[in-house]
Amino acid sequence: MAVDRELYGREAVLDDSGLAARLTGLTPYGFAGLAYEHGDDPPVTVFTGGRGMGKTALLKQVRNAYRGGTPLALLDCAHIEPPAGHGPGWNPLTGALAELAVQLSPRVLTARPVEFPRLALGLAAVAATGWSQEDDELARRDLQRLGPVLATVDETKGAATTWVSKVLAKLAATAAESTAPLAGLLAEATVETVLEEVFGRYQRKSKAWYGSYRNAGGRGEMGLHQLAVDFELGGRRRDEAEAFLVGALVEDLRAAYVGLTRRGTRRGRPLVLLDNAHLPLGRRLVEPILRERSAGRRDEVVVIASSLDRDHEGLRHATRLRLPEVAHRAPCPRGADITSGVLAVELTPLSPDRTRDLFDRYDTAGRAPADLSRAVHRLTGGRPLGVALLGRAVGGVPAAERGGLTPGALLDLAVELREDTGAVPVAATLLAELLPRGLRPDVAAVLAAARDEESARALARTRLRGVSVEGDMALWVRDALRADGWPEGPEHFVADPLLRALLLHRLRFHDGDAPMYAAWRAVHETLHRHYGPEPTPYRLRQELALGRTEEAVTQLRLAFPEPDVRGWLDRLRLIASAPYPRERHHTGPDPRRAVALGEEPGGPIPAGLDADAAGLHLGVRRLLHAVWLLTDPLALPDDDVIDKLVHELRQLSGRHLTGTSPLWEAATHWPKDIRAWRALSVPPGREDGV
């Protein structure tokens, strides 16, 4: 029995009057009747959103809510596995159509099973392509794979194998009489035997539907002949044949709802759920339906799909709404373009309140830090997959130990996702779900340390030589992230905080070579050299990533008297954006805290400084560690450190001869930025942050 997943704000789809109910005409679970919002012309609904936004979970929830109440099928367009030893008549589309038919067929409520005679004939016709007299074993395997679809027409005869032997015998005779194994002749022989051996008298009439196929002249047998020929030809002709097969599935569903003996026996509409429909297979399944609807032909099918790509070509004229906007009404006016028949619903991130509610479920006694859920929301951007897994990780920690948790500590944990399997590492599990398919995590982890495309290419040349012969790995990774909809930004090659944190976690801890951290050190030393000998903010940032802070403190002290104080503040902020080289499973306060508060010196005072310069050096050191800690997405805000930040900035304001105002403004506005969970504003107080 499937277990429903928490939707975390996705109720707009599955309330009793939600989007799914208005499309299907049935309430979820209870299957009470409801008026159709779009009459006889429902849109193809596509949920859009990046990885981890909950598209798959939502489709599975829809499946669970309507299972047993209306015919339904859930198909992942990214995972249509080819059967072993198949002939040319199988491809992802024909495999997908067969799977959809099998899932849609079973009896629901008081309605009889749906039969798929038209689709079965079409699949039988194209299955014959590529067969030859010399390889009847291939034909046997292909025919046997038709059994489940034929069983929707007659369960007993379709499941038996007597018809297979009779088809093979007829094929042998047909091949012997012809000079070549022509697809059309073999298809006719196959279809003729299937009609005789599996179909009943009423079902045989479904052959006539193929009379509308190209060059068929109203003759069903000629249409099936031509369908097989076109499928074998490939190119545009195969596209036409495949679109007709999709039409066969839709027509069989329509006939099940409007046939003379079935009128009034079915409530609601059937559901076809397509995950990862942005992939080519999804388009090949959906576009024929859109084209027929655009031409004015109506059907009974509710198609709900998901797309990783919100700007997909198949959505070019879609009506676009955000998830909360479809809770009560979802208008989708049809225009001239076929894609105007698509309703694209963008899944929205979880709010901070939703995130807190979820954490409260796993930490009912409230033993975790009060700011932990908000810090996780900042790290994940409200991405449901990340929030849910990190929340579950909190629940796996003994209550007495939760007080020291941080987002970084949660990434170090393992969590049990299922009772029948062992615990899995949080960071690696999240990364596997979020990283674009085909992108190697070890490669992406190296490049996640880069600031921009130039530094990423330098890393690729130095650290990733020999990984691929297909050109610049940095550009390859950049394009893979773009294609998956990941954001781009000016300060990080991997701009998303969660994905970057997961990749850097892998870079530091995957090899398990503490305290050497060879991969981490090699990558950051490479970047250190890349930025040259001058103490630029980017070179100093790498110093911090390597655990060395004194060069940055010295350079900030030397630059402090200069008149461009806002530039100095921006330099401080940029240097302190370095990833912290933390220790795994570290217990106790963050080491940066003691330095920021002046409880630990953080290193000796450079020789030769007078008292004033030494005091400035210590103040800058404390300030740098405070900013580094308070802006770290893997750490928690600390009121004592924030107060110290204010104190140090005001002290520096009194020291500077001309730049008092910007430093005082930073002391006023940076704590507000930190407590509002946003980036430090430069100039301080600018509403849009950096």
Side-chain angles (χ1 to χ4, degrees):
M1 178 179 176
V3 178
D4 288 345
R5 299 186 183 189
E6 171 64 53
L7 283 179
Y8 311 126
R10 273 60 180 157
E11 297 85 355
V13 176
L14 279 171
D15 276 347
D16 279 353
S17 59
L19 179 62
R22 303 195 309 273
L23 289 172
T24 62
L26 293 173
T27 61
Y29 303 105
F31 314 131
L34 195 76
Y36 297 121
E37 178 177 1
H38 297 278
D40 66 348
D41 189 21
V44 169
T45 301
V46 181
F47 296 127
T48 65
R51 291 198 186 276
M53 283 302 295
K55 302 181 301 298
T56 299
L58 182 52
L59 289 182
K60 289 182 177 179
Q61 185 80 8
V62 173
R63 176 198 60 189
N64 295 346
Y66 284 93
R67 177 183 281 143
T70 192
L72 66 83
L74 171 59
L75 183 83
D76 187 349
C77 297
H79 295 97
I80 302 296
E81 300 298 329
H86 66 80
W90 186 95
N91 68 14
L93 182 109
T94 59
L97 290 174
E99 174 63 24
L100 289 172
V102 170
Q103 289 192 44
L104 286 161
S105 175
R107 176 187 299 275
V108 295
L109 288 179
T110 59
R112 59 180 292 180
V114 179
E115 299 173 357
F116 289 91
R118 295 164 188 81
L119 179 62
L121 290 177
L123 292 178
V126 300
T129 60
W131 290 346
S132 67
Q133 192 174 14
E134 291 75 26
D135 191 2
D136 63 350
E137 186 56 35
L138 171 64
R140 181 182 297 277
R141 289 195 301 268
D142 286 346
L143 286 168
Q144 288 172 339
R145 276 191 286 269
L146 288 174
V149 181
L150 291 175
T152 71
V153 179
D154 188 307
E155 184 174 2
T156 303
K157 294 178 180 177
T161 57
T162 53
W163 63 273
V164 174
S165 300
K166 293 185 178 181
V167 170
L168 290 173
K170 187 166 289 190
L171 291 176
T174 303
E177 295 167 1
S178 63
T179 57
L182 299 176
L185 293 176
L186 297 176
E188 285 184 39
T190 303
V191 167
E192 183 179 331
T193 308
V194 166
L195 285 168
E196 292 173 355
E197 298 297 324
V198 181
F199 282 37
R201 182 175 59 84
Y202 175 79
Q203 295 158 331
R204 289 172 191 148
K205 297 178 181 178
S206 60
K207 178 182 68 171
W209 187 74
Y210 284 90
S212 61
Y213 190 70
R214 187 177 72 89
N215 294 339
R219 293 176 296 156
E221 61 276 9
M222 190 62 225
L224 287 159
H225 176 113
Q226 188 66 53
L227 180 83
V229 170
D230 288 352
F231 190 91
E232 188 173 55
L233 283 173
R236 181 171 62 86
R237 291 303 185 201
R238 175 173 288 190
D239 293 342
E240 293 175 6
E242 289 182 348
F244 212 79
L245 288 173
V246 174
L249 175 88
V250 173
E251 178 63 17
D252 282 333
L253 281 168
R254 191 193 67 80
Y257 275 73
V258 302
L260 186 62
T261 62
R262 298 165 180 80
R263 187 179 302 277
T265 64
R266 294 184 184 275
R267 296 189 301 163
R269 287 179 171 142
L271 263 170
V272 172
L273 308 170
L274 301 175
D275 201 7
N276 290 305
H278 59 281
L279 296 175
L281 174 59
R283 193 164 183 173
R284 287 156 67 191
L285 287 166
V286 171
E287 281 196 358
I289 299 174
L290 289 172
R291 193 173 295 112
E292 291 295 298
R293 290 178 179 179
S294 181
R297 289 180 280 276
R298 299 293 176 249
D299 59 73
E300 296 292 324
V301 185
V302 172
V303 179
I304 300 180
S306 74
S307 174
L308 188 63
D309 182 3
R310 71 178 307 275
D311 298 318
H312 192 278
E313 177 67 14
L315 305 176
R316 59 187 180 275
H317 292 291
T319 297
R320 294 183 181 271
L321 296 172
R322 299 174 79 246
L323 185 66
E325 297 172 327
V326 304
H328 305 292
R329 188 170 174 270
C332 187
R334 184 179 293 281
D337 191 279
I338 67 167
T339 60
S340 65
V342 175
L343 173 65
V345 180
E346 183 176 357
L347 298 190
T348 46
L350 304 188
S351 68
D353 288 344
R354 286 278 186 180
T355 302
R356 185 186 65 244
D357 291 344
L358 185 145
F359 270 60
D360 287 346
R361 288 177 49 198
Y362 289 108
D363 181 36
T364 54
R367 303 295 292 276
D371 284 331
L372 182 60
S373 71
R374 190 62 182 82
V376 166
H377 185 272
R378 174 181 62 177
L379 174 65
T380 62
R383 199 175 295 269
L385 179 69
V387 171
L389 193 57
L390 294 176
R392 187 180 290 247
V394 171
V397 175
E401 300 174 13
R402 292 176 191 167
L405 289 175
T406 64
L410 293 179
L411 295 184
D412 294 342
L413 299 175
V415 63
E416 285 190 7
L417 298 180
R418 295 173 51 183
E419 293 181 357
D420 57 345
T421 60
V424 295
V426 169
T429 301
L430 267 178
L431 183 59
E433 291 290 334
L434 296 178
L435 201 63
R437 301 294 180 255
L439 185 54
R440 283 175 47 178
D442 57 334
V443 170
V446 169
L447 300 182
R451 169 185 169 266
D452 55 14
E453 188 176 302
E454 179 189 353
S455 55
R457 296 181 73 183
L459 280 175
R461 288 192 301 270
T462 308
R463 311 303 320 170
L464 301 175
R465 286 196 304 263
V467 169
S468 173
V469 296
E470 296 182 355
D472 195 315
M473 282 303 300
L475 299 183
W476 195 92
V477 171
R478 180 203 65 187
D479 289 349
L481 293 174
R482 280 180 180 173
D484 247 20
W486 289 101
E488 299 182 60
E491 295 192 356
H492 299 281
F493 181 70
V494 178
D496 183 82
L498 178 60
L499 183 60
R500 185 173 67 254
L502 294 170
L503 289 168
L504 291 176
H505 189 281
R506 189 188 196 282
L507 179 67
R508 186 158 180 84
F509 299 120
H510 180 72
D511 293 335
D513 62 347
M516 293 298 295
Y517 301 109
W520 176 277
R521 298 197 66 82
V523 166
H524 287 288
E525 290 284 9
T526 299
L527 288 172
H528 188 260
R529 291 191 297 272
H530 166 71
Y531 289 120
E534 296 300 316
T536 63
Y538 305 117
R539 180 181 172 89
L540 297 174
R541 184 177 181 273
Q542 296 311 309
E543 290 271 340
L544 264 65
L546 290 162
R548 307 190 295 252
T549 60
E550 278 308 283
E551 179 66 14
V553 174
T554 297
Q555 294 302 323
L556 286 168
R557 169 176 57 80
L558 293 174
F560 178 73
E562 296 172 2
D564 183 12
V565 177
R566 287 181 176 174
W568 186 88
L569 288 169
D570 194 35
R571 182 172 181 154
L572 166 68
R573 181 197 57 79
L574 196 153
I575 294 170
S577 69
Y580 179 58
R582 35 181 218 99
E583 299 294 329
R584 199 171 198 170
H585 303 302
H586 173 79
T587 58
D590 191 299
R592 291 170 290 184
R593 184 179 193 273
V595 180
L597 295 177
E599 297 171 353
E600 295 287 344
I605 299 175
L609 297 183
D610 59 26
D612 187 64
L616 177 60
H617 191 90
L618 290 174
V620 169
R621 181 189 285 163
R622 290 190 295 267
L623 178 62
L624 175 62
H625 281 79
V627 175
W628 195 14
L629 174 60
L630 293 171
T631 59
D632 187 346
L634 298 182
L636 293 176
D638 186 309
D639 286 338
D640 291 340
V641 178
I642 293 175
D643 291 343
K644 192 65 174 176
L645 172 86
V646 172
H647 173 78
E648 297 297 344
L649 285 168
R650 286 179 175 168
Q651 290 291 310
L652 291 175
S653 174
R655 281 178 175 273
H656 203 281
L657 296 178
T658 61
T660 294
S661 180
L663 290 162
W664 191 267
E665 289 170 356
T668 301
H669 292 289
W670 279 8
K672 294 179 181 178
D673 293 334
I674 293 165
R675 290 190 170 105
W677 303 91
R678 58 179 177 246
L680 299 184
S681 51
V682 179
R686 200 173 84 178
E687 290 186 1
D688 59 350
V690 177

